[in-house]
Amino acid sequence: MNHHKIQLLYWAQPALSLLDWPKKKEREKMERMERFIDNLPPMNLMRSEKMTLVQLIIPVESAHRAVSYLGELGLLQFRDLNAEKSPFQRTFVNQVKRCGEMSRKLRFFKDQISKAGLLSSVLPVVEPDVELEELEIQLAEHEHELIEMNSNSEKLRQTYNELLEFKMVLQKAGGFLVSSNNHAVAEERELSENVYSNDDYVETSSLLEQEMRPADQSGLRFISGIICKSKALRFERMLFRATRGNMLFYQSSAGEEIMDPVSAEMVEKTVFVVFFSGEQARTKILKICEAFGANCYPVPEDISKQRQITREVLSRLSELETTLDAGMRHRNKALTSIGYHLQQWMSMVRREKAVYDTLNMLNFDVTKKCLVGEGWCPIFAKAQIQEALQRATFDSNSQVGIIFHVMDAVESPPTYFRTNHFTNAYQEIVDAYGVARYQEANPAVYTVITFPFLFAVMFGDWGHGICLLLGALVLIARESRLNTQKLGSFMEMLFGGRYVLLLMSLFSVYCGLIYNEFFSVPFHIFGGSAYKCRDATCSDAHSAGLIKFRDPYPFGVDPSWRGSRSELPFLNSLKMKMSILLGVAQMNLGILLSYFNARFFHNSLDVRYQFVPQMIFLNSLFGYLSLLIIIKWCTGSQADLYHVMIYMFLSPTDDLGDNELFWGQRPLQIVLLLLALVAVPWMLFPKPFILKKLHSERFQGRTYGMLGTSEFDLDVEPDSARLHHEEFNFSEVFVHQMIHSIEFVLGAVSNTASYLRLWALSLAHSELSTVFYEKVLLLAWGYDNIVIRLVGLAVFAFATAFILLMMETLSAFLHALRLHWVEFQNKFYHGDGYKFKPFSFALIAEDDD
């Protein structure tokens, strides 16, 4: 019997295999799908990179090279193990000082090159590596040579200026002396006739009158010099007051500007001659000249001596000009040779200083033969870091290798997202609010799409969108060139957000096509209108409006709404309801991300007592409102949603009457209202009491000490729990939960209302665009005058560019920013992490630039 069964099974195997064949194919298909999913690269932007705390034990002889190689790699963030020490107590303080001194010398060279009007080499000259000691000697020699040349040049320039001033004083003061001698007799006769008859006045007659008398003409003396033109008036007043008017002051413009050797600026000067009498007046005048910075030069009264001195001065000026030119050429040649190597030297000194600053963060071990360092690195970079350390050991000919091992960490690791040119700008938008906590969900993944889309909802006009698109394409096309240039603050911000601008412009074109607005003008792009006017004009106040005579317009708003009586009510209703739908959808996304965060961190309390009641509360009220909006759109009902939502709270049991949108609406409203009421205590009370119970169970009996506690127990218990189990404060936890619950309940209302800014800004943009088009462009085009038309076109272009494309863009950008930072991110995003800042030469160069 058994033999027959075996034979039967043997013959039935092919049939069974045929029956299993579809299942086998299905299993193979599922396995291939699983393998495909497993082989997909992980979404690096959703969660920050997994980090690990590592320790390095580096021999002293290979420490510098190892840190240099890690700086080139740029994937390790060192921890400062000497935070309690001041900068002057650290090991490599002398090397840091030397690098700082070399940086000062290089800045001095750069300043001198820019003052000389020379250009330093943009591309560094490739030459063999120079040791730091050799570079220090070279820089000291160059600085000494340059300072000496500057000192000699300054002395020669000062001598040249003095001779130039002397020449001007000789030319101008000689003319004053000749003219004063010619007019002396005439002035004396006039003064004698008009003044000397007064006996009282004779006793107090002025010095000039006394000097002009032939009896005492020999006592007249003078001082000549030169002063800045800006000080001449104050100088004259001071002389007049000091001598009590007993002086005669002549002045004349020098006619040439003279270079100030200190500021290297050209200064206008005035030549003066002061006539006076007496040694006391002379002393006062010289002191005043010194105080005002006036230079005094002796001028002989003899004309022949003046000419001889003038010839000597001109001869010396010619010699000094030749000497100054030769010195300037030699100085420029030295600066040019320095400029060829300046960028390379600055980069080298910058790197060396960064290396020694990093070495100062490490600790010496007990034997003083090794340096111990700790730092954070991404897990994917461990192999690269180990390879760099092995190269450093080999290149430094060290007999001992560098020890690299992973440590356990108590504190939270830094947050590191690998971004590219496209995603970096969106990540910066999120980080401006707060850096993500380690491994929490990153809003930037969704911000890439939602941010430009919400911007476009407020900005929607496909004409304006095309203008923004052209600007974004220009920035992207010139990306490689602009990346190497030093841009202004505004241009740098615009260039950094070029891909944000690109998506904003594309979504603006899309939303503009939905709104059917091209610089506020509608077009029949997707076919004919579904409506026609009942009367001659749709905007007539007595008209019954539009009547439908064909199928709906295929895409976007029907162009016939433009100019009709119903335009504003229709668009307001559409955009207001659309804003609520978008807002509720984004807030639900935020709450859903809080669920994924709780699942990722294995926090079941947050799922049960935070995610679930929040979803229930939000969707019982505003999710229900969104459902009513969609049903009203689909059915064409005339129900008043304001009335429905208000009386849902005031009298939920009353009959809805004409406002009923579907069967069973009233009992559904009662259930949703009860669920919303239950969700509030559900959020508030369970979590603090459960946390208190878990804490008391975990640490029960340990408040009296831990005698006899095994090492196994210590290993099982988390470090954070061992350190912080005594810090649990129930009242603090309860108050925090209460604040969080109240904030969510109130925020559900206020955040939904906040999304109405999408409607308000879209309406404002559309109305502004309409005003500029109708009241400026069309009004100017109504005149049969080319000048008026051109003026109207210019005003329209100016208003479009500066108001609609700049101010409105900035306004919509800021409002979209607020919607993401407050309404979206506060549902799940903590933002209390800190950024991963690795030791990297590339980042140091960017910061210096």
Side-chain angles (χ1 to χ4, degrees):
M1 186 71 181
N2 291 334
H3 178 69
H4 289 298
K5 285 182 179 179
I6 291 170
Q7 280 187 332
L8 185 63
L9 288 171
Y10 176 78
W11 290 107
Q13 274 183 354
L16 291 172
S17 63
L18 287 173
L19 291 173
D20 289 340
W21 186 77
K23 296 180 180 178
K24 186 177 179 182
K25 294 294 289 181
E26 187 68 27
R27 281 198 303 272
E28 289 178 356
K29 187 177 179 182
M30 292 296 293
E31 287 174 1
R32 283 199 302 270
M33 181 64 71
E34 289 175 1
R35 282 198 301 270
F36 174 75
I37 293 173
D38 291 339
N39 291 330
L40 284 175
M43 185 186 287
N44 296 326
L45 206 60
M46 183 63 189
R47 306 272 176 195
S48 61
E49 293 291 337
K50 291 183 179 179
M51 309 293 288
T52 182
L53 182 65
V54 297
Q55 186 180 56
L56 308 176
I57 302 176
I58 312 172
V60 173
E61 62 270 14
S62 57
H64 184 279
R65 197 177 294 270
V67 173
S68 298
Y69 287 176
L70 290 175
E72 292 172 359
L73 186 62
L75 287 172
L76 181 64
Q77 176 180 331
F78 285 93
R79 295 172 65 189
D80 191 358
L81 303 181
N82 300 312
E84 71 282 354
K85 293 182 180 179
S86 70
F88 301 103
Q89 295 175 327
R90 305 204 178 200
T91 309
F92 299 95
V93 62
N94 292 327
Q95 288 84 345
V96 172
K97 285 181 180 178
R98 287 168 58 193
C99 291
E101 183 64 18
M102 285 190 282
S103 297
R104 182 196 62 77
K105 292 173 183 176
L106 290 169
R107 288 195 300 271
F108 170 69
F109 296 153
K110 188 175 181 180
D111 186 49
Q112 292 294 309
I113 289 171
S114 63
K115 281 184 178 179
L118 304 173
L119 294 175
S120 58
S121 177
V122 177
L123 297 175
V125 178
V126 179
E127 63 176 26
D129 290 335
V130 184
E131 292 295 330
L132 193 65
E133 289 76 11
E134 296 178 13
L135 179 60
E136 190 174 13
I137 295 169
Q138 285 185 32
L139 294 182
E141 291 175 353
H142 285 307
E143 186 189 28
H144 179 71
E145 181 185 6
L146 201 56
I147 288 175
E148 190 174 353
M149 284 192 290
N150 287 344
S151 177
N152 293 336
S153 175
E154 189 175 341
K155 289 177 182 176
L156 289 173
R157 173 60 63 180
Q158 189 172 359
T159 306
Y160 178 81
N161 285 349
E162 289 175 356
L163 289 172
L164 193 61
E165 289 177 350
F166 194 13
K167 184 193 77 168
M168 296 174 181
V169 171
L170 286 171
Q171 291 173 351
K172 299 290 182 180
F176 293 152
L177 294 174
V178 172
S179 62
S180 64
N181 289 332
N182 291 337
H183 294 289
V185 178
E187 290 175 356
E188 186 271 337
R189 188 181 299 117
E190 184 180 354
L191 288 169
S192 299
E193 292 175 357
N194 297 323
V195 179
Y196 297 160
S197 58
N198 191 338
D199 294 337
D200 296 333
Y201 188 79
V202 170
E203 294 177 3
T204 59
S205 59
S206 68
L207 173 65
L208 179 60
E209 294 163 359
Q210 295 174 13
E211 293 297 337
M212 289 301 177
R213 294 176 188 173
D216 195 18
Q217 193 173 355
S218 60
L220 186 64
R221 303 167 70 181
F222 69 91
I223 291 175
S224 57
I226 193 167
I227 190 172
C228 288
K229 190 174 182 181
S230 58
K231 300 178 182 179
L233 184 59
R234 287 179 288 137
F235 177 65
E236 182 181 2
R237 289 177 179 172
M238 184 60 71
L239 288 175
F240 184 83
R241 290 171 182 169
T243 60
R244 298 183 182 179
N246 295 319
M247 64 93 188
L248 185 64
F249 186 83
Y250 286 109
Q251 65 174 344
S252 177
S253 177
E256 294 182 34
E257 291 186 341
I258 300 175
M259 180 183 288
D260 186 357
V262 179
S263 63
E265 294 179 354
M266 302 302 290
V267 181
E268 288 188 47
K269 298 233 173 178
T270 298
V271 176
F272 65 88
V273 177
V274 184
F275 293 94
F276 63 92
S277 178
E279 187 63 29
Q280 189 176 3
R282 180 178 179 276
T283 305
K284 288 182 179 178
I285 292 170
L286 288 176
K287 285 184 178 180
I288 293 171
C289 289
E290 184 181 356
F292 277 84
N295 298 323
C296 298
Y297 298 97
V299 178
E301 297 185 21
D302 190 359
I303 295 177
S304 60
K305 287 183 180 180
Q306 288 182 17
R307 289 174 181 171
Q308 183 183 355
I309 293 173
T310 303
R311 283 195 297 270
E312 291 175 3
V313 168
L314 290 174
S315 174
R316 290 189 61 190
L317 279 174
S318 177
E319 293 172 0
L320 277 176
E321 282 180 1
T322 306
T323 308
L324 281 170
D325 288 343
M328 190 62 67
R329 285 196 299 271
H330 178 62
R331 181 172 176 273
N332 288 345
K333 186 178 179 181
L335 288 174
T336 304
S337 66
I338 292 173
Y340 285 138
H341 309 282
L342 187 63
Q343 293 297 329
Q344 184 187 9
W345 290 345
M346 291 180 74
S347 175
M348 179 181 174
V349 171
R350 191 187 300 125
R351 289 161 65 107
E352 288 295 321
K353 186 175 184 297
V355 167
Y356 284 117
D357 281 334
T358 305
L359 287 171
N360 275 332
M361 299 168 73
L362 311 184
N363 261 339
F364 268 110
D365 70 337
V366 181
T367 63
K368 299 291 182 183
K369 293 181 180 178
C370 292
L371 285 166
V372 180
E374 296 177 4
W376 295 100
C377 73
I379 288 179
F380 73 84
K382 288 201 301 185
Q384 301 176 52
I385 292 173
Q386 287 175 325
E387 192 270 334
L389 296 176
Q390 289 172 3
R391 280 193 297 116
T393 303
F394 179 78
D395 293 345
S396 58
N397 298 321
S398 175
Q399 301 298 321
V400 182
I402 300 172
I403 299 174
F404 174 90
H405 67 93
V406 178
M407 298 174 62
D408 292 330
V410 176
E411 69 269 24
S412 177
T415 302
Y416 174 48
F417 295 104
R418 280 190 281 180
T419 57
N420 51 34
H421 290 302
F422 181 80
T423 57
N424 183 62
Y426 296 98
Q427 189 63 54
E428 290 295 328
I429 288 174
V430 173
D431 289 347
Y433 175 81
V435 178
R437 182 181 290 183
Y438 178 65
Q439 290 272 285
E440 78 168 324
N442 184 16
V445 177
Y446 308 94
T447 303
V448 170
I449 297 299
T450 58
F451 183 85
F453 177 71
L454 291 185
F455 168 87
V457 170
M458 294 179 274
F459 191 77
D461 186 303
W462 62 279
H464 298 151
I466 288 173
C467 295
L468 291 183
L469 179 62
L470 293 175
L473 292 177
V474 169
L475 291 174
I476 293 171
R478 304 181 64 184
E479 180 176 347
S480 56
R481 186 188 306 175
L482 293 173
N483 227 352
T484 57
Q485 295 179 3
K486 191 168 184 179
L487 307 173
S489 57
F490 176 75
M491 193 63 193
E492 186 177 1
M493 180 183 65
L494 201 63
F495 177 70
R498 58 196 178 280
Y499 291 106
V500 179
L501 191 63
L502 175 68
L503 284 190
M504 282 170 20
S505 59
L506 289 175
F507 277 114
S508 295
V509 172
Y510 169 72
C511 288
L513 290 172
I514 290 178
Y515 298 157
N516 202 347
E517 291 186 6
F518 178 82
F519 295 100
S520 79
V521 181
F523 284 90
H524 293 76
I525 303 173
F526 302 102
S529 172
Y531 298 91
K532 64 180 179 180
C533 299
R534 186 183 299 274
D535 297 333
T537 171
C538 295
S539 58
D540 188 0
H542 303 289
S543 170
L546 299 169
I547 56 172
K548 188 173 181 180
F549 72 102
R550 64 165 71 172
D551 292 336
Y553 192 67
F555 183 82
V557 175
D558 195 304
S560 292
W561 289 106
R562 172 59 184 261
S564 66
R565 279 191 309 152
S566 320
E567 178 190 10
L568 207 55
F570 169 75
L571 291 179
N572 277 346
S573 174
L574 170 69
K575 292 180 179 180
M576 181 174 63
K577 292 181 174 65
M578 181 183 66
S579 301
I580 293 173
L581 291 177
L582 293 174
V584 172
Q586 191 174 29
M587 288 191 291
N588 271 296
L589 174 62
I591 299 174
L592 195 62
L593 287 175
S594 72
Y595 165 76
F596 288 114
N597 270 340
R599 278 288 302 274
F600 183 82
F601 293 113
H602 307 291
N603 192 340
S604 58
L605 285 180
D606 282 350
V607 175
R608 296 172 191 165
Y609 305 110
Q610 189 165 305
F611 165 73
V612 174
Q614 284 181 358
M615 287 293 284
I616 290 174
F617 183 84
L618 181 69
N619 290 294
S620 295
L621 302 179
F622 301 103
Y624 173 64
L625 174 61
S626 302
L627 177 67
L628 294 182
I629 290 171
I630 294 171
I631 292 174
K632 183 177 179 180
W633 277 351
C634 294
T635 60
S637 170
Q638 297 297 316
D640 185 2
L641 298 186
Y642 295 108
H643 184 276
V644 172
M645 292 304 296
I646 290 171
Y647 282 94
M648 176 180 174
F649 294 94
L650 295 180
S651 51
T653 57
D654 288 359
D655 187 23
L656 294 173
D658 294 337
N659 292 319
E660 186 170 1
L661 286 164
F662 55 90
W663 179 84
Q665 183 178 352
R666 186 175 63 176
L668 177 62
Q669 288 187 173
I670 296 172
V671 171
L672 291 177
L673 191 60
L674 291 174
L675 284 175
L677 292 174
V678 169
V680 177
W682 191 351
M683 274 187 285
L684 177 59
F685 293 109
K687 187 176 175 181
F689 288 99
I690 292 173
L691 285 174
K692 182 181 179 182
K693 182 183 177 184
L694 290 174
H695 180 268
S696 61
E697 286 177 355
R698 173 179 287 184
F699 300 107
Q700 189 174 12
R702 297 194 184 183
T703 55
Y704 298 100
M706 298 175 67
L707 296 176
T709 304
S710 66
E711 293 182 359
F712 175 77
D713 292 336
L714 290 174
D715 291 337
V716 170
E717 187 176 308
D719 291 336
S720 58
R722 290 204 305 272
L723 293 173
H724 305 294
H725 69 273
E726 295 180 0
E727 298 178 6
F728 184 82
N729 189 334
F730 175 74
S731 60
E732 184 178 342
V733 172
F734 187 82
V735 168
H736 174 77
Q737 187 66 22
M738 182 172 66
I739 292 172
H740 184 76
S741 302
I742 294 172
E743 182 184 10
F744 179 81
V745 170
L746 297 179
V749 180
S750 64
N751 293 350
T752 306
S754 183
Y755 276 96
L756 293 177
R757 71 184 68 236
L758 298 173
W759 157 48
L761 266 80
S762 174
L763 177 66
H765 184 85
S766 176
E767 292 301 312
L768 269 176
S769 185
T770 302
V771 166
F772 290 139
Y773 175 72
E774 293 182 351
K775 303 301 181 184
V776 176
L777 189 63
L778 290 185
L779 192 65
W781 226 252
Y783 292 90
D784 192 13
N785 188 321
I786 189 65
V787 176
I788 295 177
R789 289 186 175 184
L790 289 176
V791 169
L793 186 62
V795 172
F796 176 75
F798 178 85
T800 300
F802 288 95
I803 296 178
L804 295 176
L805 291 181
M806 289 184 67
M807 292 177 62
E808 282 288 305
T809 300
L810 183 61
S811 174
F813 182 91
L814 292 175
H815 282 283
L817 203 62
R818 184 240 150 79
L819 289 176
H820 280 79
W821 281 356
V822 179
E823 278 70 27
F824 173 53
Q825 290 179 190
N826 71 353
K827 302 293 185 295
F828 68 98
Y829 188 61
H830 292 94
D832 55 358
Y834 62 101
K835 225 174 203 178
F836 176 59
K837 295 180 179 178
F839 171 59
S840 171
F841 292 143
L843 294 178
I844 293 168
E846 287 178 6
D847 291 342
D848 286 350
D849 291 341

